[in-house]
Amino acid sequence: MAFPVQFICRAVRTVGLVLLYYIFSIGITFYNKWLMKGFHYPLFMTLVHLTINFCLSALTRRVMQSWTGKPRIILSWTDYLHKVAPTALTTALDIGLSNWSFLFITISLYTMTKSSAVLFILFFSLVFKLEEPNPFLILVVLLISCGLFMFTFESTQFNLEGFIMVLLASFVGGIRWTLTQVLIQKAELGLQNPIDAMYHLQPIMFLGLFPLFMYNEASSLGTSEKLFRVTEFSPLLYSLFFLSAGGFLAFGLGFSEFLLVSRTSSLTLSISGIFKEVCTLLLAAALMGDKMSMLNWLGFAVCLCGISLHVGLKTYYSKNKGPSVRQLNSKSPELELPLLQQHEEDKEDSAADEYNDEDEEQEIILH
């Protein structure tokens, strides 16, 4: 009877972690769209979220340090500016453009277009030699590209400006996740724990996005009655509360992804991400009134086939190479997880082959 009990407990835990991931991931997507209907300052909203993320990650690091008695990693300025800054800047652009696009497009078009990030991740993984060339990748690219074309073809709620923004965000996101993979795989940096990575990324992300905010939103926000020219105190508290709520959702999303991968596997996260897209589109049609034709749904199905094929190929080749994701002990005091580990086949040349010995790319389709 021990085996069924353990299996049931593991299944319940996995379902719970997936649901937690869904709550934060789907929640922040609908939150951003809802907030943009009455608060037309997406870059300022993103800056607030980055500030809250930094504060929460700093607090979490302090708690983890007190709990374990081990000091947390703090990078030198040289490593910080040369190795962390590129990842932080691309992440800031990805999130900023994604949030900006909600001023123009529906959740369904955003979700579908954002799925094209897989194409750019594949491209940059090949460029950085993190992915081995494979003929099946051509089929993956064709399926996702055709699916995206079918979804946007004769769409009644299509907006070119918003579509270009999300497509640019997906392109930058491909660079972002490729650089993130390289950053996490650098064991000497000690950023395997996403809490430490978030702590180091947020300041440069804020500084990178701030000039764009100053150019595009600062003057308008300074004269807006939403924040700085309020006539009553209660509307100000209302705005600050809902702006802050997104920061907690963003932090919860990153932490729930980490928990899901650490307690299960990256494959579970990838498969969960596929079904999350389906749930998002169904909820968008039911709650937000997004209109989708039969051709649009067919395009979405074709795109999901391409993403599913990519996940299957990654699983097949990673099994042939050996496991690359280490499961955490449930009693681990600080939830440290090398999400992406390098082979140790040639220890003497590990520094020279740092970019060539990765097993598996950690792919996360985000809001």
Side-chain angles (χ1 to χ4, degrees):
M1 293 295 294
F3 173 75
V5 172
Q6 291 179 354
F7 177 79
I8 292 174
C9 290
R10 189 179 297 111
V12 170
R13 183 185 65 182
T14 301
V15 171
L17 291 174
V18 170
L19 290 177
L20 183 66
Y21 163 62
Y22 278 13
I23 289 173
F24 285 113
S25 183
I26 297 176
I28 197 170
T29 299
F30 281 84
Y31 159 85
N32 287 338
K33 180 60 179 178
W34 170 80
L35 189 64
M36 287 300 99
K37 289 183 176 180
F39 188 84
H40 299 163
Y41 305 99
L43 298 180
F44 178 76
M45 177 193 73
T46 305
L47 292 177
V48 173
H49 293 176
L50 295 178
T51 303
I52 294 175
N53 271 345
F54 176 76
C55 294
L56 291 176
S57 59
L59 178 62
T60 305
R61 277 165 52 93
R62 181 60 62 90
V63 172
M64 294 169 68
Q65 181 171 325
S66 300
W67 181 263
T68 62
K70 300 178 182 178
R72 307 307 304 176
I73 185 71
I74 297 180
L75 297 181
S76 66
W77 280 106
T78 301
D79 287 338
Y80 190 59
L81 295 177
H82 287 81
K83 299 178 181 179
V84 176
T87 305
L89 292 175
T90 53
T91 302
L93 282 176
D94 180 14
I95 297 176
L97 287 171
S98 297
N99 291 339
W100 199 349
S101 69
F102 278 117
L103 289 175
F104 308 99
I105 63 174
T106 61
I107 289 179
S108 56
L109 180 57
Y110 167 84
T111 302
M112 184 65 187
T113 310
K114 197 67 172 164
S115 298
S116 65
V118 175
L119 299 179
F120 300 110
I121 291 173
L122 280 175
F123 173 75
F124 288 108
S125 295
L126 292 172
V127 171
F128 284 90
K129 298 182 180 179
L130 301 176
E131 185 98 21
E132 295 181 1
N134 189 300
F136 287 104
L137 294 181
I138 299 177
L139 181 58
V140 171
V141 171
L142 288 176
L143 286 173
I144 297 177
S145 301
C146 291
L148 181 61
F149 175 77
M150 293 168 64
F151 187 87
T152 57
F153 184 72
E154 293 185 353
S155 175
T156 57
Q157 295 175 305
F158 181 79
N159 181 282
L160 181 60
E161 187 175 0
F163 176 73
I164 292 176
M165 282 187 179
V166 185
L167 206 57
L168 284 174
S170 299
F171 175 80
V172 176
I175 306 175
R176 166 196 177 183
W177 290 114
T178 305
L179 292 177
T180 300
Q181 179 184 358
V182 175
L183 183 68
I184 293 177
Q185 286 177 335
K186 289 181 178 293
E188 69 273 14
L189 292 180
L191 297 181
Q192 286 81 11
N193 191 309
I195 299 298
D196 293 324
M198 289 171 62
Y199 174 81
H200 286 85
L201 287 172
Q202 305 307 307
I204 296 184
M205 289 174 62
F206 185 97
L207 294 176
L209 205 58
F210 189 75
L212 188 58
F213 157 74
M214 291 297 295
Y215 174 78
N216 190 69
E217 295 180 1
S219 59
S220 176
L221 183 63
T223 58
S224 170
E225 295 183 356
K226 295 291 183 180
L227 285 178
F228 297 108
R229 294 188 62 189
V230 293
T231 56
E232 297 181 6
F233 190 61
S234 56
L236 177 62
L237 290 179
Y238 179 85
S239 299
L240 291 177
F241 173 78
F242 283 106
L243 278 174
S244 302
F248 287 93
L249 284 174
F251 181 82
L253 173 60
F255 197 70
S256 63
E257 288 170 344
F258 169 57
L259 284 178
L260 182 58
V261 174
S262 65
R263 301 298 181 176
T264 57
S265 68
S266 61
L267 176 61
T268 304
L269 179 64
S270 298
I271 295 176
S272 300
I274 295 173
F275 287 100
K276 185 204 72 174
E277 309 298 344
V278 178
C279 294
T280 301
L281 285 191
L282 292 175
L283 288 173
L287 301 179
M288 309 296 289
D290 289 8
K291 299 177 182 179
M292 296 175 59
S293 65
M294 185 60 65
L295 181 62
N296 298 149
W297 281 110
L298 182 60
F300 177 65
V302 171
C303 186
L304 285 187
C305 288
I307 297 174
S308 302
L309 176 60
H310 177 61
V311 172
L313 290 173
K314 296 289 294 182
T315 305
Y316 174 77
Y317 286 108
S318 64
K319 283 184 177 180
N320 287 343
K321 292 180 179 180
S324 60
V325 178
R326 177 173 63 84
Q327 296 288 330
L328 277 183
N329 188 331
S330 60
K331 298 181 181 179
S332 176
E334 57 174 333
L335 294 177
E336 291 236 345
L337 173 69
L339 293 179
L340 301 159
Q341 290 184 321
Q342 294 173 292
H343 283 304
E344 296 182 356
E345 298 171 350
D346 192 350
K347 294 184 179 180
E348 295 180 356
D349 297 328
S350 60
D353 297 336
E354 195 167 22
Y355 294 94
N356 300 322
D357 292 338
E358 284 92 12
D359 290 343
E360 178 180 358
E361 174 187 350
Q362 179 63 39
E363 295 180 11
I364 303 175
I365 307 299
L366 290 183
H367 61 280

